[in-house]
Amino acid sequence: NRLSLTSGRDADLKSCNSSLLDGYDLVSFLPENQYLFECACDCGFIDIIEIPIMDGVYIHYTKDSVTKAINRGIMFEFSLASSFREQS
């Protein structure tokens, strides 16, 4: 089972506790800004950080943050779905 989280507030990310996440094998997070990306890299319960492609979200991915996340065992997933939508 996978739980996918998306939020624009750090309070939402910090309020997740182990009792909420116990029923899930994987927890993924889609950060909506730079600060949340940094928080996700430090987070102990996130397994996957989703990276949006062509979705209008600009995040500066620093080497230090990415390395920190990788060392914690966090994987990165590139979300391509929005690139397949019709542009109007």
Side-chain angles (χ1 to χ4, degrees):
N1 293 344
R2 174 178 170 160
L3 175 65
S4 296
L5 303 170
T6 302
S7 178
R9 301 179 329 143
D10 65 328
D12 294 336
L13 185 60
K14 293 176 182 175
S15 68
C16 290
N17 55 40
S18 61
S19 62
L20 174 69
L21 307 173
D22 280 344
Y24 298 95
D25 300 316
L26 292 173
V27 177
S28 66
F29 182 69
L30 175 62
E32 294 184 357
N33 58 48
Q34 179 72 36
Y35 179 72
L36 288 174
F37 174 75
E38 300 289 337
C39 290
C41 289
D42 287 330
C43 202
F45 63 85
I46 292 178
D47 301 301
I48 301 168
I49 296 175
E50 297 179 44
I51 307 293
I53 303 295
M54 297 179 65
D55 221 5
V57 176
Y58 178 76
I59 297 175
H60 180 70
Y61 304 101
T62 64
K63 180 182 176 184
D64 290 341
S65 296
V66 171
T67 301
K68 186 187 317 179
I70 291 170
N71 288 339
R72 295 181 75 85
I74 298 173
M75 304 298 288
F76 293 92
E77 176 181 88
F78 294 93
S79 302
L80 300 174
S82 64
S83 64
F84 295 111
R85 293 186 193 132
E86 284 187 39
Q87 302 295 322
S88 54

